[in-house]
Structure formats: C-alpha cells, structure tokens
Amino acid sequence: MTGFQAWASNLSDLFYRCFIKEDRYKLLVSGIGVTIKVSLLAVVIGILIGMLIAMCNLSKRKPLKLIGGIYTDIIRGTPSVTQLMIIYFVIFATVNLDKWIIASIAFGVNSGAYVSEIIRAGIMSIDKGQTEAGRSLGLNAFQTMTRIVIPQAVKNIFPALCNEFIVLIKETAIVGYVGLMDIQKAGDFIKSATFIAFMPLIGTAIIYYVLIKMLTLLLNRIESSLRKSDVR
Amino acid sequence: MIKVKNLHKKFDSLTVLDGIDEHITQGEVVVIIGPSGSGKSTFLRCLNLLEDVTEGEIYVDDELINSPKVNVNKIRQKMGMVFQQFNLFPHLTIMENITLAPVLLKKMTKEEAIKKGQELLERVNLSEKADAYPAQLSGGQKQRVAIARALAMNPEIMLFDEPTSALDPEMVGEVLDVMKDLAKSGMTMVIVTHEMGFAREVATRVLFIDQGVVMESGTPEEIFNNPQNERTQLFLSKVL
C-alpha cells in the first residue's frame, strides 16, 4: 500500500466511524433542523424587538428613549451565553414551553438590540428634507414614516440586516448550553462518542459554512432585486 | 390671510427672529430678501410650523396656528411648500410624488388625483415625465415637479424657500417662469430668494429682513429704487 492509499483508507475509516456507524449522521441532520428552526424564529423575534426598540430610541419621549437605551446597553454589555442561560434557567424556568422556542426568544432578545441599531441608523440616514417634504404636504408623522422614510430606509437596512442574520445563525451554536442538540452539539457529541476530534469538528464547520453560503447567495439575490427599482 | 404678531425664534441662545409683525393678504406675492443668516428662511419655515415658534402668534385665516390645540396637519394642507433641495421622494415616480398626499389624505380619489397630476405636469411642461423617477430629472425639472406636487393639494398659499438656489444657472429661468405663471393666476405666494430681477418683476411687496427683523417693506419700486433703510441700501449695493 502506498502512503496515499493508507491515508485515504484511514480517512474513509474515520468518516465511517464518525458519520455512518450507528447512523451518527442522523444526529447532524436533526441538528441542522434545530439550528435552522431556532435561527428563523429568533430572526423574526429579533426584527420585531428591533423595530420596537428603534422606535423607542428615535422617539422624542424621554422615558421611551431611556428604555431603549438601557435595553441596548445591557444586551451589548453581557455575553450571549449568559443571556441565554438567564432566560432559559431563570426567566423561563417555570414556563412550560419547548426548549427551542425559549432558545429562540433568547437569541431574538439578543439580536433585537443589534437590529434596533441597524434600523435606527437606516432611518437616520434618510435626509431630513424627506420628512419635511412629507409633513409640509400635511401628512402626519406616522404617514411620513411609513410612506416616505421607511421605504427608502429599507434599502439601506437590508444588507446590514442580512449580516446580522448570519451572525445570529453562528451565535446559535451555543444552544448546547441549554441542552438542545443543534449542529455544533451534534458534532461535539460524535466527538465524545468516538474520541475522534478532527472529523466531526471539520464536518460541523463545513455544514455551517454551506448553510451560510446558501443563505448569503439567496439574500444577495433578494438585495439586487431590491436595487432594481433604484434608478440612480 | 396670514397674520404674524411679534414672532420670535431662538435656537438655544441664538436669536434668529427678533419680533416680526407682518400681514400677508390674499393674492399678494411677497418676496423676502436679505443677507444669509438674516432669518428669512426661518421666518418662512415658521409659517407652516416646520420650526416651532419660541414666542409670538401666527394666524392663518384668523386661526391661531402655533397653539397645541390646532391640528398642524390640517393647517399645512392649506400651505404648499417648495424647498431649496426639491426633496422629491426618490422611491416614487413623478406621478406618485404628486398623487401621494392628496390620495392618502383623502382629498381626492386616485383617478381624480392622477387627472389633476396630469394637468399640473402639463402646466409645468413635464407631461412626458409622469412615469420617470426623480433621479432621471434635471434640477430644474425636479423643482418644477416639486411645485406641481405642492399644488396638487390645492393650497391657498405657496411658500418658496430659495427655490432656485440649488440650480445650475441655465435652469433658473424655467423654474422662475413657472412661478411667474403661478403669481399671475392669483396665488398667494411668499418667496425667499436671491433673484432680485424676479423680485422686481413679480413681487407685489418686498420685505427686507436682517438680524431677525423686517427692516423695510414696500413695493419693488420703493425697495429697489429708493430704499430708505441704511442696511437695505448696503445690501442692495452688494447684490445689484
């Protein structure tokens, strides 16, 4: 046997032990499901909270501004693992909800703080003259916001929001801390069961990479179709 | 039509308007001139409450408008505003720019608004641009659309805040022509401008504002040919 053949057969043996034997690949497949499920719900929650907090931050009312400020400050100032564990083991300790939903809420709460900043920056990037033109025509503040400012801000917000979505997916790799079997946890489990580190961890990385690559391509496509109406 | 009593406007400690009393009647074309930083734009912006008033009273059709009880949006519907930077809505077509407010505020049905929009675009010579986006227009065209957009609400008064200052020189004329046309039709207009020739030709009254007060007011002949105030004389000697 040449060196290469030995290396290749060793690799395929590792591959077999890590993924095929005892149907271990199924762990990863269901892990992908968990990661996607948690990320999707979290991104929705994150956007909703983000919009709410952005409204608070942009508001002229002092108490609302204060709430928005404190929220962003706390979320940014503490690690997401800590937030996840507090939400899971303290706040939702006695609430009977699916684990993955609680995890999604935790990630959504975290993401909301960052999304709010993205939305706020996007809205502030629209020239003040646009608001003045809307108001001077007699539109009220809400109409001006929804018909004039937000439609323009969306194009600025979207790319940053995509980036936040990708960060969020990777962030969910810590859900193992509250006992959910996502991609990362599945890889980790295989590592412990087989005492092989290389194959499961590289496998985990590849799965995340492919997942995010596919998402990036999809989001790019949506973004360029958003730009189409942009005759500038 | 518009009565201003003892109008003061302060930005923090900076006094921009220092007691303005003015009465603008229906059909008047009032042109406001003065050095930059004199408060003329601020005065105009106070008239439709884009700036909140520090002190004093503004009445439109005998209604006190700078009072918390008043529905600002209703007041603004009576007053069209044209800005130096046009401020067209870039995400909407020209026709949508014009019809947005009348339809949204239920002044017209969509069909009525489009019909009105076509009339207005014809009036400003831009019928063929109805489906274009603002970015495809030149500065002069944008400003003419902005005028049409303001007129679509059937305002009683039109306010112009340096409408030609952001334009290339060769486009100033086309915008001024539209404004002259509007003045001839009997529209009440308040115009802040640096176009002295236009002021002389179109104004029924010229206000010279400096240091936040009306220094002098009179017909174009009085102001341009025989200014009484020393500051007016100085200003005119620089710009004419």
Side-chain angles (χ1 to χ4, degrees):
Chain A
M1 254 207 285
T2 68
F4 176 75
Q5 278 171 326
W7 180 77
S9 88
N10 180 33
L11 207 64
S12 72
D13 177 50
L14 281 180
F15 188 87
Y16 175 78
R17 278 159 61 200
C18 289
F19 299 132
I20 312 294
K21 202 175 162 196
E22 294 173 19
D23 282 347
R24 290 203 172 106
Y25 70 91
K26 283 187 178 161
L27 286 173
L28 283 165
V29 171
S30 77
I32 294 173
V34 170
T35 297
I36 291 178
K37 213 159 61 169
V38 171
S39 307
L40 279 181
L41 182 58
V43 86
V44 172
I45 296 172
I47 289 173
L48 291 178
I49 293 180
M51 288 199 285
L52 211 66
I53 298 297
M55 299 271 196
C56 290
N57 284 333
L58 289 167
S59 157
K60 283 197 187 104
R61 298 200 185 105
K62 281 264 161 61
L64 287 180
K65 251 184 159 43
L66 194 68
I67 292 171
I70 292 173
Y71 187 90
T72 338
D73 196 48
I74 291 177
I75 297 294
R76 275 210 283 223
T78 53
S80 33
V81 187
T82 316
Q83 293 162 13
L84 172 68
M85 293 176 76
I86 288 175
I87 288 179
Y88 188 86
F89 293 112
V90 181
I91 297 173
F92 282 89
T94 58
V95 182
N96 190 16
L97 262 179
D98 275 358
K99 270 186 185 181
W100 74 273
I101 294 179
I102 300 175
S104 298
I105 293 171
F107 290 114
V109 163
N110 175 279
S111 180
Y114 298 98
V115 171
S116 79
E117 285 300 295
I118 291 170
I119 294 177
R120 194 177 70 100
I123 286 177
M124 302 232 308
S125 73
I126 303 302
D127 182 46
K128 203 167 131 253
Q130 291 290 312
T131 307
E132 288 186 350
R135 298 306 304 273
S136 81
L137 287 165
L139 307 189
N140 63 33
F142 180 77
Q143 288 165 331
T144 306
M145 194 46 102
T146 54
R147 304 300 291 264
I148 294 166
V149 178
I150 290 178
Q152 295 180 59
V154 164
K155 283 180 200 166
N156 297 343
I157 290 171
F158 192 76
L161 212 52
C162 294
N163 193 42
E164 170 59 25
F165 189 14
I166 285 164
V167 170
L168 174 68
I169 293 175
K170 294 189 288 183
E171 199 99 299
T172 63
I174 58 171
V175 284
Y177 276 91
V178 296
L180 271 169
M181 185 76 96
D182 69 327
I183 303 170
Q184 178 66 43
K185 189 70 189 172
D188 199 39
F189 184 86
I190 295 171
K191 187 189 89 176
S192 316
T194 57
F195 300 108
I196 301 165
F198 171 79
M199 197 54 94
L201 291 182
I202 296 297
T204 303
I206 291 173
I207 294 172
Y208 274 115
Y209 180 82
V210 170
L211 209 59
I212 284 166
K213 194 77 200 173
M214 289 192 311
L215 181 72
T216 309
L217 292 175
L218 175 73
L219 293 175
N220 283 348
R221 184 166 287 192
I222 298 175
E223 194 194 332
S224 65
S225 78
L226 265 182
R227 295 257 167 231
K228 255 181 214 149
S229 61
D230 219 10
V231 247
R232 246 177 282 199
Chain B
M1 190 161 233
I2 302 181
K3 262 196 213 107
V4 178
K5 285 186 185 160
N6 194 30
L7 178 64
H8 284 76
K9 171 70 185 173
K10 288 193 179 94
F11 291 106
D12 297 325
S13 62
L14 179 74
T15 302
V16 182
L17 298 179
D18 200 10
I20 290 191
D21 290 278
E22 199 51 57
H23 187 184
I24 295 162
T25 57
Q26 180 140 24
E28 267 197 296
V29 178
V30 177
V31 173
I32 302 173
I33 59 172
S36 51
S38 59
K40 44 192 200 311
S41 281
T42 306
F43 172 64
L44 195 73
R45 290 163 58 83
C46 282
L47 293 183
N48 71 350
L49 301 175
L50 282 182
E51 301 289 349
D52 38 276
V53 170
T54 312
E55 194 192 322
E57 290 153 10
I58 301 173
Y59 296 89
V60 173
D61 295 339
D62 294 321
E63 186 183 4
L64 180 67
I65 64 166
N66 58 324
S67 130
K69 276 178 258 164
V70 147
N71 181 345
V72 182
N73 303 316
K74 276 268 179 288
I75 299 290
R76 286 186 181 135
Q77 290 177 30
K78 293 185 187 178
M79 294 193 266
M81 174 103 176
V82 176
F83 299 86
Q84 183 176 350
Q85 298 297 338
F86 331 127
N87 296 340
L88 294 184
F89 308 133
H91 61 301
L92 301 177
T93 65
I94 299 311
M95 186 53 88
E96 288 166 345
N97 263 275
I98 295 173
T99 56
L100 174 75
V103 175
L104 197 58
L105 298 170
K106 303 211 162 49
K107 282 202 105 180
M108 298 171 198
T109 65
K110 191 145 189 227
E111 291 71 34
E112 286 167 352
I114 288 175
K115 193 162 164 281
K116 172 100 185 166
Q118 280 159 348
E119 283 167 23
L120 287 168
L121 283 178
E122 214 159 292
R123 192 162 163 191
V124 300
N125 279 322
L126 285 170
S127 307
E128 74 285 0
K129 297 290 186 190
D131 297 321
Y133 283 89
Q136 298 165 310
L137 269 53
S138 71
Q141 292 173 329
K142 282 183 197 168
Q143 195 60 300
R144 285 185 279 151
V145 171
I147 294 172
R149 178 177 69 180
L151 289 172
M153 289 296 290
N154 290 323
E156 297 168 21
I157 307 159
M158 285 285 283
L159 310 175
F160 294 83
D161 188 5
E162 303 200 24
T164 57
S165 298
L167 295 176
D168 290 339
E170 77 267 26
M171 291 169 183
V172 171
E174 63 193 57
V175 172
L176 293 182
D177 284 343
V178 169
M179 290 167 65
K180 277 178 207 166
D181 197 48
L182 198 57
K184 264 185 227 144
S185 75
M187 175 66 77
T188 310
M189 294 161 76
V190 185
I191 304 162
V192 171
T193 188
H194 295 291
E195 297 290 332
M196 296 302 153
F198 173 79
R200 197 190 283 255
E201 187 181 343
V202 176
T204 56
R205 195 150 60 92
V206 176
L207 298 184
F208 175 72
I209 292 188
D210 193 14
Q211 296 171 342
V213 294
V214 177
M215 292 274 179
E216 195 165 352
S217 156
T219 64
E221 290 76 36
E222 288 167 351
I223 298 287
F224 288 111
N225 299 345
N226 191 17
Q228 301 300 308
N229 187 293
E230 205 179 304
R231 292 201 145 268
T232 319
Q233 290 162 1
L234 187 68
F235 174 73
L236 289 174
S237 73
K238 282 182 194 158
V239 296
L240 286 182

